[in-house]
Amino acid sequence: QVQLVESGGGLVQAGGSLRLSCAASGGTFSTYDMGWFRQAPGKEREFVCAINWGGGSVYYTECVKGRFTISRDNAKNTVYLQMNSLNSEDTAVYYCAARRMGQSKRTSDYDYWGQGTQVTVSS
């Protein structure tokens, strides 16, 4: 059983930056592929980006390419999401998730989820 705890959310002005962290415990973190998702009020949870177990493969949804960077530190059991050039459309609760057997954009493919951290971008 893997437990995930996100942190780093908050209120930021448009154009600003935030770095989210997701700390994992209870499992062998380096064997899990990780994803970040987000959910805005009244909308479905959507894929943001993913990274494979070793960190050598990443991919992003189109609207965050060039602005967001996912990374991981397996020694610290942590995955990060660096978010730059934030805009109001990035306002959402951000979740990290874990799975084995490859990266995926689908929420249903992930086995473990954190509780989420709120990101609010003011214009």
Side-chain angles (χ1 to χ4, degrees):
Q1 191 80 5
V2 175
Q3 292 81 44
L4 302 172
V5 179
E6 302 95 336
S7 61
L11 176 64
V12 63
Q13 289 188 334
S17 298
L18 280 176
R19 188 194 196 202
L20 306 184
S21 299
C22 172
S25 62
T28 306
F29 179 70
S30 61
T31 65
Y32 286 88
D33 303 292
M34 302 297 295
W36 283 98
F37 292 77
R38 66 186 181 185
Q39 188 166 17
K43 296 187 177 181
E44 293 188 353
R45 193 169 298 188
E46 65 174 4
F47 171 79
V48 177
C49 56
I51 188 167
N52 75 328
W53 62 271
S57 175
V58 299
Y59 69 100
Y60 302 89
T61 193
E62 193 64 31
C63 64
V64 307
K65 282 182 180 177
R67 301 190 298 123
F68 290 12
T69 303
I70 187 172
S71 62
R72 66 189 296 161
D73 185 339
N74 286 343
K76 295 183 178 180
N77 292 348
T78 302
V79 62
Y80 304 98
L81 181 63
Q82 177 67 44
M83 306 186 294
N84 299 328
S85 301
L86 287 160
N87 59 60
S88 58
E89 294 185 353
D90 297 316
T91 295
V93 177
Y94 283 72
Y95 299 88
C96 67
R99 73 182 300 265
R100 288 185 169 134
M101 305 299 289
Q103 297 158 288
S104 175
K105 298 181 179 181
R106 298 187 298 184
T107 58
S108 59
D109 285 343
Y110 285 80
D111 301 308
Y112 304 102
W113 291 84
Q115 83 289 346
T117 186
Q118 176 71 48
V119 171
T120 303
V121 183
S122 64
S123 56

